[in-house]
Amino acid sequence: MSLLPSRPRLLAVGEPTHGDETLLALRNELFVRLVEQQGYRCVAIESDCLKGLVVDDHVTTGAGDLDEVMERGFSHGAGAWRGNRELVRWLRAYNAGRPAAERVRFAGFDAPLEMTGAGSPRQALTALHAYLAAHMDTGVRADVLDRLLGPDERWANGGAMLDPSRSIGRSDAAGRLRLLADDLAALLGAHAPELVAATSREAWERACLYARTAIGLLRYHARMADTAPGRADAMMGLRDAMMAANLLALAERGPTLVHAHNRHLQRHRSTVLLGGLRSAPPT
């Protein structure tokens, strides 16, 4: 820390590969010291931002069994890594008995995406609508959202990652959902003061997470259906933009530690080759 002019609001540690337990143990040791000695109050890792809410509830309140939390609270298979289990265990032990203002939070900051496909926007969009509908007329009925969303399996079609024709991202229903998600997000911002007063700052911020995720997923699905040459590059750029937006929101809340693959943290452009899905070379 003495190498830095001041304590960064976001302090990120990269890794060259996922799942290496030696690196995860080193990360944990470093993060423990930064929490205890430098006052960091959030740990964010490269995992599904919605699933991460399960882990956050556990480490802050003790909700849920650790085995269940590790299974339900992570994406990319990260719940099976011993280092992540030890991190969650330590966070829960550290927070036990502490007032809310002193607890260390947990967050996933990745989008609900896997290498083989993208998730349905259902969870994020319906949660956003439910939050708003409890306090105002949104102009959108829940059954209309449900009809437009349809079966989640249509969104999670793994073949769409490599074959745009198998994506529903540019269907009429998906286009309508993008407009509705944008309208709901606008309501969330326009009525922020009364919504915060009626619920809490934290509840409103969680609704903002739902809004970012719903809009980002719908954009991503639209790109999956694109046949343009820069399709893969655009998809990866959208994912990193969603990551960045989540990190900015966490930084607004307080000093945050971040752990992710180097590719998501570096400043220069990168390339990747995965089963025929190739991003454009840097220019």
Side-chain angles (χ1 to χ4, degrees), residues 20 43 45 52 56 64 69 77 96 102 104 114 122 144 146 157 159 176 186 189 210 223-224 239 258 260 269:
D20 184 278
V43 172
I45 73 167
D56 186 53
V69 168
E102 297 180 12
V104 182
E114 294 289 352
R122 176 182 298 278
V144 172
D146 185 64
N157 184 343
R176 176 66 176 152
Y210 293 138
R223 276 298 182 185
M224 288 182 73
R239 180 188 177 193
V258 181
R269 294 184 65 185

Side-chain angles (χ1 to χ4, degrees), residues 13 72 83 93 135 164-165 167 243 277:
V13 175
R72 295 178 51 234
H135 303 283
S165 68
S167 171
M243 286 182 164
L277 180 69

Side-chain angles (χ1 to χ4, degrees), residues 70 79 83 150 159 170 196 222 225 240:
M70 298 307 298
R170 298 210 170 184
V196 170
D240 279 340

Side-chain angles (χ1 to χ4, degrees), residues 154-232:
R154 294 198 309 162
W155 298 93
N157 184 343
M161 183 64 73
L162 298 178
D163 183 359
S165 68
R166 299 178 66 178
S167 171
I168 65 168
R170 298 210 170 184
S171 64
D172 290 343
R176 176 66 176 152
L177 287 169
R178 289 184 73 183
L179 292 174
L180 293 177
D182 186 69
D183 287 345
L184 293 174
L187 283 176
L188 188 65
H191 295 272
E194 58 259 46
L195 288 170
V196 170
T199 58
S200 67
R201 180 78 188 184
E202 182 167 347
W204 181 81
E205 288 177 351
R206 182 168 290 200
C208 290
L209 171 63
Y210 293 138
R212 290 194 305 273
T213 304
I215 291 173
L217 272 176
L218 287 164
R219 285 175 180 161
Y220 192 90
H221 278 286
R223 276 298 182 185
M224 288 182 73
D226 193 359
T227 58
R231 171 180 178 267

Side-chain angles (χ1 to χ4, degrees), residues 5-281:
S6 62
R7 181 186 67 179
R9 182 62 67 92
L10 282 175
L11 180 56
V13 175
E15 62 179 3
T17 187
H18 288 317
D20 184 278
E21 294 293 354
T22 301
L23 294 176
L24 292 175
L26 180 61
R27 174 206 66 183
N28 289 352
E29 180 181 355
L30 178 62
F31 280 9
V32 166
R33 293 187 183 185
L34 289 167
V35 166
E36 294 180 338
Q37 300 175 16
Q38 299 294 332
Y40 281 90
R41 286 296 174 264
C42 181
V43 172
I45 73 167
E46 184 188 334
S47 183
D48 185 329
C49 57
L50 300 184
K51 290 185 176 183
L53 298 174
V54 174
V55 185
D56 186 53
D57 287 344
H58 174 74
V59 302
T60 54
T61 70
D65 173 79
L66 180 59
D67 289 337
E68 180 187 7
V69 168
M70 298 307 298
E71 181 178 352
R72 295 178 51 234
F74 292 85
S75 59
H76 314 319
W81 301 339
R82 184 175 66 254
N84 284 340
R85 187 182 186 89
E86 292 305 312
L87 177 63
V88 172
R89 193 196 306 275
W90 181 83
L91 287 169
R92 177 62 203 136
Y94 181 88
N95 287 333
R98 294 181 185 271
E102 297 180 12
R103 294 172 192 160
V104 182
R105 307 291 297 271
F106 177 93
F109 71 95
D110 199 357
L113 307 172
E114 294 289 352
M115 297 302 291
T116 55
S120 167
R122 176 182 298 278
Q123 179 184 356
L125 192 54
T126 56
L128 170 62
H129 179 264
Y131 175 81
L132 290 168
H135 303 283
M136 66 182 66
D137 179 9
T138 65
V140 182
R141 298 202 317 267
D143 64 306
V144 172
L145 286 180
D146 185 64
R147 175 174 56 80
L148 291 171
L149 285 162
D152 288 346
E153 292 76 14
R154 294 198 309 162
W155 298 93
N157 184 343
M161 183 64 73
L162 298 178
D163 183 359
S165 68
R166 299 178 66 178
S167 171
I168 65 168
R170 298 210 170 184
S171 64
D172 290 343
R176 176 66 176 152
L177 287 169
R178 289 184 73 183
L179 292 174
L180 293 177
D182 186 69
D183 287 345
L184 293 174
L187 283 176
L188 188 65
H191 295 272
E194 58 259 46
L195 288 170
V196 170
T199 58
S200 67
R201 180 78 188 184
E202 182 167 347
W204 181 81
E205 288 177 351
R206 182 168 290 200
C208 290
L209 171 63
Y210 293 138
R212 290 194 305 273
T213 304
I215 291 173
L217 272 176
L218 287 164
R219 285 175 180 161
Y220 192 90
H221 278 286
R223 276 298 182 185
M224 288 182 73
D226 193 359
T227 58
R231 171 180 178 267
D233 197 41
M235 288 162 58
M236 294 176 185
L238 284 174
R239 180 188 177 193
D240 279 340
M242 293 171 72
M243 286 182 164
N246 286 334
L247 288 178
L248 287 172
L250 292 171
E252 287 293 318
R253 195 168 70 186
T256 299
L257 299 168
V258 181
H259 184 239
H261 193 281
N262 291 334
R263 194 189 73 81
H264 300 299
L265 302 175
Q266 67 191 32
R267 293 182 180 275
H268 57 279
R269 294 184 65 185
S270 61
T271 60
V272 64
L273 179 63
L274 178 65
L277 180 69
R278 187 182 183 116
S279 66

